[in-house]
Amino acid sequence: MSTGSDRRAPERDLSTWPIERLQAFAADARNWSQLESVRVVAQQHAYDSSQPREVRRNWAELSLLANRRMLGGGAEGSARELRQDFMLRTWVIEHLGPEDEKFDWSPEALGADTLAALALSPSEAATLATTWHELPIEQICELRRHKSLTAHLEWLIGHLLPGPTRDRLVPWIETRHLLP
C-alpha cells in the first residue's frame, strides 16, 4: 500500500515542470542539491529521442547551466562537474550534431576546454602511472582526475579537425587506460 510519504507531490516533481519554470528555478537555486536536481531532470529531457532536436538542445543547455552553477568560482572546478560538462557536450555533438557557431556544441571548443582542464601531459601521466601505488594520495587523486576528465575523448576525437588540438588529445585516449 502506498502512502503519501513515498509519492512526490507534482509541484515538487521537477520532471513535470516546463523548461521555462526549471530555468527560473535554476537561476534562483542557492544550493548544490537543487542545481543537481535541475541538471539531472534537464539531462533526462535532452536524452528523450521523442522530442525534436532543438528542444533536446535547449534541455541540454539547461543541464549545462545548472552544472556550471555547481562548479562555482573555482579556477579548476570540480572534476565531477567538469566531467559531466564534457560528457554531455560530447553526447550532444555525437547524437544531435556539432554546431561550430555555438561554443558548447563545437568539438574544437570542447577539445580546447579539455586541454585547459589537464595539468599533466600524457607522457607525464603515463610515467606517474607506472608507480601509482607508491605515489602520495594527492598525486593518485590527480591521476584519477585526469582519467575522469578524458573519459569522453573516444567519442569526441572523430569530430575534431586535424590540427594541434586533436594531436594533443589523441595520446590521452591510450594514456587514460594506464591511469588508476
Side-chain angles (χ1 to χ4, degrees):
M1 179 176 188
S2 175
T3 67
S5 64
D6 62 348
R7 284 182 281 168
R8 291 192 276 184
E11 63 193 41
R12 296 301 306 159
D13 182 1
L14 301 185
S15 68
T16 64
W17 290 13
I19 192 168
E20 297 80 10
R21 185 173 178 195
L22 268 177
Q23 287 167 330
F25 182 72
D28 291 337
R30 298 289 175 234
N31 66 54
W32 185 91
S33 65
Q34 290 173 328
L35 290 166
E36 176 67 0
S37 294
V38 171
R39 183 195 70 76
V40 168
V41 167
Q43 188 166 314
Q44 289 169 342
H45 283 289
Y47 292 162
D48 182 357
S49 61
S50 70
Q51 295 297 311
R53 181 177 303 232
E54 265 324 295
V55 169
R56 295 169 76 189
R57 281 186 196 276
N58 291 338
W59 282 108
E61 286 174 8
L62 177 56
S63 183
L64 286 177
L65 170 72
N67 189 62
R68 288 172 180 166
R69 290 216 43 230
M70 286 189 288
L71 277 169
E76 284 188 27
S78 155
R80 178 184 183 272
E81 282 80 19
L82 282 173
R83 179 178 187 273
Q84 288 172 174
D85 184 288
F86 295 167
M87 291 298 286
L88 180 58
R89 289 168 66 189
T90 302
W91 184 90
V92 168
I93 290 166
E94 181 79 8
H95 292 90
L96 304 178
E99 282 189 21
D100 289 329
E101 315 79 51
K102 286 200 165 191
F103 181 82
D104 288 330
W105 316 137
S106 165
E108 299 303 318
L110 178 51
D113 287 350
T114 303
L115 289 170
L118 302 173
L120 301 172
S121 71
S123 61
E124 290 170 326
T127 299
L128 288 171
T130 61
T131 59
W132 73 268
H133 54 282
E134 298 170 9
L135 296 174
I137 191 72
E138 296 82 17
Q139 285 186 304
I140 295 169
C141 289
E142 187 63 17
L143 289 175
R144 289 185 176 159
R145 180 178 178 279
H146 280 67
K147 185 173 188 172
S148 178
L149 294 177
T150 55
H152 63 289
L153 291 180
E154 289 185 42
W155 297 278
L156 176 64
I157 213 73
H159 296 279
L160 292 171
L161 298 172
T165 299
R166 187 179 194 288
D167 293 345
R168 289 179 60 203
L169 289 172
V170 166
W172 276 108
I173 294 171
E174 288 303 317
T175 301
R176 77 175 304 277
H177 296 292
L178 304 173
L179 303 179

